[in-house]
Amino acid sequence: MGRHTWGKTVGALVLAAAVAAASGCSSSDDKGSGKPKPSATAAAKAKTVTVEAATTTFQDAVTAFDTDGGCLEQEPGTCWDQMQALMAPARDLRAAMNAEKSVGADFWTEAYTLIDTMETGIAVGEDQGAPAGAATLPETTNRDDVLGTAHKLSDWLDQHPIA
């Protein structure tokens, strides 16, 4: 009979722990602190920068890419870091565009399309390199999608300033 009682006790403790975890019970450190937890939307809004700041950051990344020499190597994988360095501020720019209320979504259509093209190039998951004669090909590899489109987006931002 001792084993039966012990089994029920362990089972009850396991059940209690599972229920506590599923219900989101928190530790005693959270209780009574008087500070409400920030919501996910509040955290997202706090991270969103203005379109002007995001534009500057993105265009600075494009300028840095150019002044550092761009991507001269043809071998695959040699430009992945530069591609990601341009994609990160492009994503921040998209978030800032989404939050901008002074213009409608239609205003951003071309910019969204350019950022989506960059995302398509990044989605490959690696730098595919540039084949010999790439300058004469109409579409080379995912480098064009990311690096070339970043320059097009920078030009578009110059032509469509938001103040």
Side-chain angles (χ1 to χ4, degrees):
M1 182 137 131
R3 280 193 256 175
H4 182 67
T5 304
W6 182 82
K8 281 185 174 182
T9 303
V10 170
L13 289 174
V14 169
L15 179 62
V19 169
S23 68
C25 288
S26 60
S27 69
S28 60
D29 293 342
D30 292 342
K31 293 181 182 179
S33 68
K35 296 179 184 176
K37 292 184 180 180
S39 67
T41 25
K45 286 182 183 179
K47 290 184 180 182
T48 303
V49 297
T50 66
V51 170
E52 185 177 12
T55 297
T56 299
T57 301
F58 176 76
Q59 290 184 317
D60 286 350
V62 172
T63 300
F65 171 79
D66 291 342
T67 56
D68 289 345
C71 181
L72 302 175
E73 301 293 325
Q74 290 185 336
E75 291 80 27
T78 54
C79 295
W80 185 241
D81 290 341
Q82 292 103 323
M83 292 166 73
Q84 290 179 324
L86 291 173
M87 194 69 242
R91 289 177 177 143
D92 292 341
L93 177 62
R94 180 182 330 169
M97 291 170 10
N98 289 339
E100 178 63 45
K101 302 299 180 206
S102 68
V103 294
D106 290 344
F107 176 81
W108 300 114
T109 300
E110 189 172 347
Y112 283 134
T113 301
L114 292 168
I115 294 171
D116 288 346
T117 300
M118 291 175 69
E119 289 283 8
T120 299
I122 286 290
V124 172
E126 64 184 359
D127 168 23
Q128 294 179 330
T136 61
L137 298 174
E139 178 76 24
T140 55
T141 65
N142 63 333
R143 285 186 185 179
D144 272 352
D145 287 342
V146 179
L147 305 174
T149 303
H151 286 86
K152 290 176 187 174
L153 178 58
S154 182
D155 292 343
W156 186 91
L157 292 166
D158 283 339
Q159 297 165 4
H160 301 85
I162 295 288

